Amino acid sequence: MASPVTPPLALVAPDERPGGPSTAMTGNTDDLRRQAEVVLGDQDIALLRPFGEIRATAPGDVLFDVGEPGYALVVVLSGSVDLVDRSYGVETLIRTFGPGEFVGELGLLTGQTVFAACVARESGELLMVPRSGVQEIIATLPAVGDLLVTAFAANRQRLMRSAAATLTLIGPETSHGIERLQQFAMRNRIPSRCLDPADPAAVALLERLAPGQSADVWVVVRGQTMLANPTTFEVARAIGLDLTAEQDGPVDLLVIGAGPAGLSAAVYGASEGLSTIVVDEFGIGGQAGSSTRIENYLGFPSGISGGDLAFRAEVQAIKFGARVTVPRRALSLAREDGLFVVRLDDGTTLRGRSVVVATGVRYRDLGLPNEETFVGPGVHYAATELEARFCRNVEVVVVGAGNSAGQAAMFLSGTASTVHLVCRGPDLGRTMSQYLITRLEHAPNVRVCTGCVVTAIRGRERIESVTIANAQGGEEEIPGRAVFVMIGADPHTDWLRGTVSLDEKGFVLTGPAVTADGAPAVTSPFQTSEPGIFAVGDARSGSVKRVASAVGEGAVVVSAVHGYLAATRGTDGQGLNSPGREQPSAS
Ligand SMILES: Cc1cc2nc3c(=O)[nH]c(=O)nc-3n(C[C@H](O)[C@H](O)[C@H](O)COP(=O)(O)OP(=O)(O)OC[C@H]3O[C@@H](n4cnc5c(N)ncnc54)[C@H](O)[C@@H]3O)c2cc1C
């Protein structure tokens, strides 16, 4: 345990911190403050008392320290406590909590180690509620539980905003390594900031923690641990996000993939009493997590960022007791002794009574170095009304030779001034329906460039031009404002080959498509060729590639999972609701 700090500490506003504010979150600051800075009344505190222990404190007592796992919820009954950020090599006060206030953050539910230290400022009395007590409160006292969960989530978002207290990435902001780690931090709501190696704050950290050493990318974890060129897995482990995948016993439901479909299955599974683990190789949100604004999702008339939607879903899932384990990649799935065994890339295995595959797809990209930076403001993988709105009277480029590219080009010709349809092959006839080719030929503002490829996208905050090259080496720069990449999507299903039936493109076959001759009809549209394994969302053959449909499928599949578990109850000796069945903690 680190030595106690002596108050008073200097209050540093988030935006004044080295590295400046994170732009990772959007949202209303006042709402977050209101949700985070809750003062519990006497009645609420009386309800919480049976779940914790009273502790008397003196100034300087450390109640929990940076990096500790299993820390307690601290409810201030009298006196005050400080939450202290130690990630900048100096101690910085995040906030002081007085009577009725409580110190708690999302990590209390996820099992993540703690970002900051909590130190008594004045003598007083505290109620210390262990993590198990917090889980019990959420399960049994919905009103207070909701208040706590909302405050925990708001506190995490505020930490994200201030980029306080967790990761400092040191390296050139444009490097692939930094970009990958920033994406990982953003997707998993890990507070982070990025420093150029020449920044005096970076120089000081390197001198203190890695004198004389060199690396392309450094990650400083909570101002204490320095990692050289780490993988996302190593970063996750260092901050305690890498939750243990080990189990005491099998869970009812293993969900592979934490995009909209997987998160939905986890929320509905856990809320309906199934012990549930969700695994994702990268982080929560899937493709939707990379969308800056989803405008066609029910209930959000002015849109919601995919990251925010995923974060809300994750909080909801863990509130109901699902365990979210990232970053872990499923490598294989097999049936052993009536259970499903998923082998993960860190060598561990997960066992479950049923599996929902929600591993989605990856849209093929053009492979241009700066393509990713324009995803959202200019590079699109779908052409709907949403995207078309930004193409009014400008030139756009559609890449591809299939029907989706042809439909996109026709659709966009209604709003764009010119549509350049770029395809690598010598003609469209082999890949596109004739009716579309005829329409394209007759559309006055569609120009078909066969035997061509896009070689560069230029611009700063938005696309300013697109370079097209032909097979003869000729190049042309088009003042295009948007690029629609319609060259197909590959399902993430390699890990399932030989386990369940896939269609010719590798998507998982489900429902009637897997009913063998003479076999009883499959009752769920999401059942794969292997009873007990279900598939939902974009990875499923014939799925509608939308957030709402993925979420809907994730919700509906849970009733089929219940049906399967009821039918097979007891076959592994520990069926649903039987003694010894693992109830994963809300981590
Ligand atoms: C930029 C962009 C914008 C979009 N905008 C919209 C929109 O506005 N409206 C709309 O309706 N749709 C939109 N879509 C489509 C929508 O996001 C998808 O249809 C939806 O995300 C599909 O959800 P899913 O859960 O099935 O799969 P995904 O979102 O693809 O999630 C799959 C998850 O599985 C994980 N995974 C894959 N393999 C493994 C493995 N072996 N082990 C562990 N984890 C694994 C991945 O890391 C990923 O997180 C957009 C897509 C993109 C790319």
Side-chain angles (χ1 to χ4, degrees):
M1 178 126 349
S3 56
V5 284
T6 314
L9 298 157
L11 178 67
V12 177
D15 290 4
E16 291 163 18
R17 292 168 194 279
S22 161
T23 53
M25 291 287 300
T26 55
N28 183 319
T29 312
D30 290 339
D31 280 352
L32 288 184
R33 183 180 298 125
R34 208 177 44 249
Q35 289 163 1
E37 297 182 7
V38 177
V39 180
L40 298 171
D42 291 346
Q43 254 183 334
D44 294 327
I45 291 178
L47 286 170
L48 297 183
R49 265 184 199 258
F51 297 92
E53 280 182 5
I54 305 285
R55 176 171 167 180
T57 52
D61 281 357
V62 178
L63 303 156
F64 58 71
D65 207 343
V66 176
E68 262 179 44
Y71 61 105
L73 170 74
V74 177
V75 183
V76 183
L77 304 178
S78 62
S80 63
V81 299
D82 286 328
L83 190 65
V84 182
D85 177 5
R86 291 179 165 163
S87 52
Y88 299 95
V90 288
E91 300 202 328
T92 310
L93 179 69
I94 296 175
R95 212 185 120 197
T96 299
F97 297 75
E101 294 188 298
F102 57 88
V103 189
E105 197 268 341
L106 209 57
L108 252 172
L109 297 181
T110 62
Q112 210 168 338
T113 53
V114 63
F115 294 148
C118 184
V119 184
R121 189 182 186 104
E122 297 171 75
S123 303
E125 255 192 0
L126 308 172
L127 177 67
M128 306 289 288
V129 184
R131 191 166 154 240
S132 56
V134 175
Q135 286 162 350
E136 252 186 282
I137 291 166
I138 290 167
T140 55
L141 302 172
V144 191
D146 279 351
L147 201 123
L148 293 182
V149 172
T150 307
F152 294 167
N155 276 330
R156 172 64 64 93
Q157 299 204 35
R158 292 176 93 194
L159 276 173
M160 287 290 295
R161 284 229 168 144
S162 65
T166 307
L167 294 184
T168 302
L169 315 179
I170 302 175
E173 204 155 7
T174 47
S175 81
H176 181 65
I178 287 285
E179 191 196 313
R180 184 178 48 89
L181 289 166
Q182 277 184 318
Q183 278 270 353
F184 173 73
M186 192 185 79
R187 283 282 187 93
N188 292 291
R189 294 294 188 263
I190 305 164
S192 75
R193 63 169 179 165
C194 182
L195 296 178
D196 189 86
D199 188 300
V203 173
L205 278 166
L206 288 166
E207 270 172 12
R208 183 165 64 87
L209 295 166
Q213 297 173 47
S214 70
D216 295 334
V217 170
W218 290 101
V219 176
V220 189
V221 182
R222 300 189 181 112
Q224 294 176 344
T225 313
M226 190 69 115
L227 306 173
N229 300 323
T231 61
T232 49
F233 184 74
E234 286 162 344
V235 172
R237 174 161 286 173
I239 59 165
L241 179 68
D242 164 51
L243 301 173
T244 172
E246 283 106 43
Q247 301 168 278
D248 298 330
V251 286
D252 296 324
L253 175 58
L254 289 176
V255 181
I256 314 299
L263 286 171
S264 171
V267 167
Y268 283 86
S271 67
E272 290 175 22
L274 300 178
S275 52
T276 303
I277 292 182
V278 197
V279 185
D280 198 289
E281 67 170 314
F282 190 65
I284 58 160
Q287 298 164 66
S290 64
S291 172
T292 46
R293 187 185 286 212
I294 296 167
E295 291 199 49
N296 57 353
Y297 191 66
L298 193 75
F300 294 91
S302 52
I304 180 167
S305 89
D308 282 355
L309 187 67
F311 177 62
R312 286 160 190 248
E314 185 194 22
V315 173
Q316 217 170 355
I318 58 183
K319 175 187 133 171
F320 286 123
R323 201 164 91 190
V324 182
T325 301
V326 293
R328 289 274 179 37
R329 181 175 197 184
L331 296 180
S332 66
L333 170 59
R335 190 193 276 272
E336 287 173 21
D337 304 325
L339 290 172
F340 294 106
V341 179
V342 176
R343 195 162 59 82
L344 302 174
D345 57 355
D346 66 342
T348 57
T349 54
L350 291 174
R351 286 173 304 134
R353 297 188 180 82
S354 66
V355 176
V356 167
V357 173
T359 43
V361 300
R362 184 178 292 118
Y363 282 90
R364 287 183 209 138
D365 56 31
L366 297 172
L368 299 174
N370 60 348
E371 185 176 343
E372 176 84 21
T373 51
F374 291 115
V375 171
V379 170
H380 307 284
Y381 300 94
T384 68
E385 294 285 353
L386 282 181
E387 291 82 15
R389 282 198 335 216
F390 303 105
C391 301
R392 214 165 289 284
N393 301 324
V394 297
E395 296 193 30
V396 302
V397 174
V398 176
V399 188
N403 278 352
S404 56
Q407 282 165 3
M410 277 312 298
F411 173 67
L412 292 165
S413 69
T415 44
S417 59
T418 306
V419 178
H420 304 268
L421 178 62
V422 176
C423 61
R424 189 184 287 271
D427 62 71
L428 296 173
R430 282 175 304 158
T431 45
M432 195 181 288
S433 301
Q434 188 53 49
Y435 83 94
L436 269 174
I437 297 174
T438 310
R439 282 186 196 170
L440 290 168
E441 283 167 357
H442 286 86
N445 60 342
V446 175
R447 175 179 165 238
V448 180
C449 317
T450 51
C452 291
V453 289
V454 171
T455 53
I457 301 174
R458 294 199 173 80
R460 290 174 70 79
E461 273 158 25
R462 61 188 186 114
I463 296 179
E464 277 149 28
S465 73
V466 180
T467 306
I468 296 173
N470 62 28
Q472 291 73 46
E475 277 197 342
E476 182 190 358
E477 194 159 342
I478 294 166
R481 292 284 179 269
V483 178
F484 291 81
V485 185
M486 318 295 286
I487 52 178
D490 297 314
H492 285 132
T493 52
D494 278 356
W495 64 288
L496 291 169
R497 284 193 192 280
T499 310
V500 296
S501 301
L502 307 177
D503 70 12
E504 68 284 358
K505 289 183 177 157
F507 290 88
V508 184
L509 287 167
T510 57
V514 295
T515 307
D517 283 346
V522 164
T523 49
S524 163
F526 308 115
Q527 187 187 306
T528 67
S529 56
E530 184 68 27
I533 303 178
F534 302 86
V536 289
D538 282 13
R540 195 175 67 76
S541 181
S543 66
V544 180
K545 308 284 185 284
R546 288 285 176 266
V547 175
S549 55
V551 168
E553 292 187 9
V556 173
V557 75
V558 169
S559 69
V561 169
H562 270 295
Y564 170 79
L565 292 175
T568 55
R569 188 169 296 168
T571 52
D572 64 354
Q574 289 191 342
L576 191 65
N577 298 329
S578 65
R581 183 169 75 90
E582 185 185 12
Q583 291 291 351
S585 50
S587 60

